[in-house]
């Protein structure tokens, strides 16, 4: 068994505990958020490709720097971690104008609950 196969088996056997633990760190949260944004604009998420595919995406390094310097991200992250990581308080990236991509000036950090609520309102309006 090669190393990659061993890692996959190990992760599967422990329910991806190491990955889940890492994704609760600031860098891990940013990594997962960026990967999700990237998947959307590249059309990997097929069910919603019509909403995101081809939109602009801030490069990874600039996204990390912007996020780590952003008061809202740091406050939301601290509140989320102090509350033992409930999904509703998880920091979530929001595009203020849904016709524009993930670029500075159009993105902001809000809670997952707030982002879900806003998404529902935007769908209701269209």
């Amino acid at each position: 068994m090669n190393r990659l196969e061993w890692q996959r088996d190990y992760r599967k056997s422990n329910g991806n505990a190491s990955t889940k633990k890492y994704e609760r760190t600031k860098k891990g949260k940013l990594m997962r958020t960026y990967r999700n944004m990237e998947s959307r604009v590249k059309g990997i998420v097929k069910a919603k490709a019509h909403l995101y595919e081809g939109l602009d995406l801030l490069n990874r390094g600039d996204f990390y720097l912007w996020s780590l310097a952003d008061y809202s991200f740091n406050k939301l992250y601290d509140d989320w971690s102090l509350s033992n990581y409930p999904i509703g308080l998880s920091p979530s990236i929001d595009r203020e104008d849904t016709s524009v991509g993930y670029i500075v000036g159009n993105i902001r950090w809000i809670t997952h609950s707030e982002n879900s609520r806003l998404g529902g309102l935007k769908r209701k309006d269209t």
Side-chain angles (χ1 to χ4, degrees):
M1 175 181 300
N2 69 33
R3 182 173 168 78
L4 184 59
E5 291 169 333
W6 178 86
Q7 284 178 327
R8 284 186 187 137
D9 287 346
Y10 176 76
R11 287 184 188 130
K12 191 182 289 185
S13 71
N14 75 1
N16 287 320
S18 298
T19 301
K20 289 175 184 176
K21 185 176 179 180
Y22 176 69
E23 288 179 357
R24 289 182 171 181
T25 66
K26 279 190 181 183
K27 283 190 172 185
K29 181 63 179 166
L30 294 175
M31 177 272 307
R32 172 57 54 210
T33 300
Y34 192 85
R35 281 188 181 175
N36 289 345
M37 294 181 333
E38 190 174 43
S39 293
R40 291 180 193 117
V41 300
K42 288 184 175 180
I44 295 168
V45 180
K46 299 292 184 202
K48 295 184 178 183
H50 65 285
L51 299 173
Y52 301 97
E53 196 169 13
L55 294 178
D56 289 328
L57 176 64
L58 181 66
N59 81 48
R60 184 183 309 267
D62 289 342
F63 174 72
Y64 281 34
L65 290 173
W66 172 81
S67 295
L68 291 170
D70 185 73
Y71 173 81
S72 294
F73 171 71
N74 288 290
K75 173 80 170 102
L76 290 168
Y77 177 84
D78 290 345
D79 291 347
W80 179 55
S81 63
L82 290 171
S83 300
N84 203 26
Y85 309 100
I87 193 163
L89 293 182
S90 175
S92 179
I93 204 76
D94 175 54
R95 291 177 301 135
E96 295 185 52
D97 180 347
T98 58
S99 67
V100 178
Y102 296 99
I103 58 172
V104 174
N106 191 50
I107 55 175
R108 63 183 174 160
W109 285 101
I110 59 176
T111 65
H112 177 79
S113 292
E114 181 68 4
N115 208 353
S116 294
R117 187 186 72 76
L118 289 173
L121 291 174
K122 289 173 186 173
R123 282 190 296 276
K124 190 176 179 181
D125 289 343
T126 56

